[in-house]
Amino acid sequence: MWPRIGGLRTLDLGVPGELRDRLNALVLSGAKRATAGLLEADYRAEGEEPESVGERLVLVGSEGERVAEVEVESVEVVAFGDVSWDFAQAEGEGSRSLGHWREVHIAYWRSAGHAVTDGTDIVCVRFRLVPPAG
């Protein structure tokens, strides 16, 4: 089960450290408006369902601290080989092409011990940054 902060599920991008800090900075700048996860390894193995439209998530930093809050705008489960260039661009991580996006993601998931094929189910989540209250 994923951690909760204030009753909301957390969104922990990448791995703690430089990668997470860079991804969080992209979210805060507005460049990153989407993220992808493995349906089996990231969701089902953790006993979690994919996010739902309108759900709010707490973006967490490398120490598990609250960085910001995002609201889910869309969720789609697609085969890895069917992820669109539009979605890859919304991730805001500087992919030069869909092929480059795929290479980077395969390498990341492989480093975490997960093999990905064109048929692997991917949860594609688009979100917006929620302005701080007050």
Side-chain angles (χ1 to χ4, degrees):
M1 183 175 234
W2 293 346
R4 304 311 200 252
I5 295 177
L8 302 177
R9 291 196 285 181
T10 60
L11 176 60
D12 53 339
L13 300 172
V15 293
E18 183 180 327
L19 177 59
R20 181 166 300 163
D21 295 344
R22 182 174 65 80
L23 295 175
N24 283 349
L26 290 170
V27 171
L28 295 175
S29 75
K32 182 170 180 60
R33 303 173 322 278
T35 192
L38 300 173
L39 181 60
E40 290 297 325
D42 294 333
Y43 291 85
R44 292 196 174 139
E46 293 287 329
E48 294 286 349
E49 291 296 319
E51 292 82 354
S52 58
V53 174
E55 181 178 1
R56 289 198 173 189
L57 307 168
V58 175
L59 183 67
V60 295
S62 292
E63 304 298 321
E65 76 280 12
R66 176 189 290 263
V67 171
E69 200 169 292
V70 300
E71 183 176 330
V72 176
E73 294 186 312
S74 71
V75 180
E76 185 178 21
V77 178
V78 299
F80 181 73
D82 293 333
V83 172
S84 71
W85 174 232
D86 181 62
F87 179 81
Q89 288 176 303
E91 277 205 311
E93 297 174 28
S95 294
R96 299 180 298 276
S97 68
L98 189 53
H100 179 250
W101 180 89
R102 287 180 177 150
E103 289 172 16
V104 169
H105 282 73
I106 286 170
Y108 172 76
W109 285 319
R110 183 179 294 132
S111 73
H114 307 293
V116 175
T117 67
D118 279 351
T120 301
D121 284 331
I122 305 296
V123 180
C124 297
V125 179
R126 292 178 188 256
F127 54 81
R128 71 174 186 84
L129 185 63
V130 175

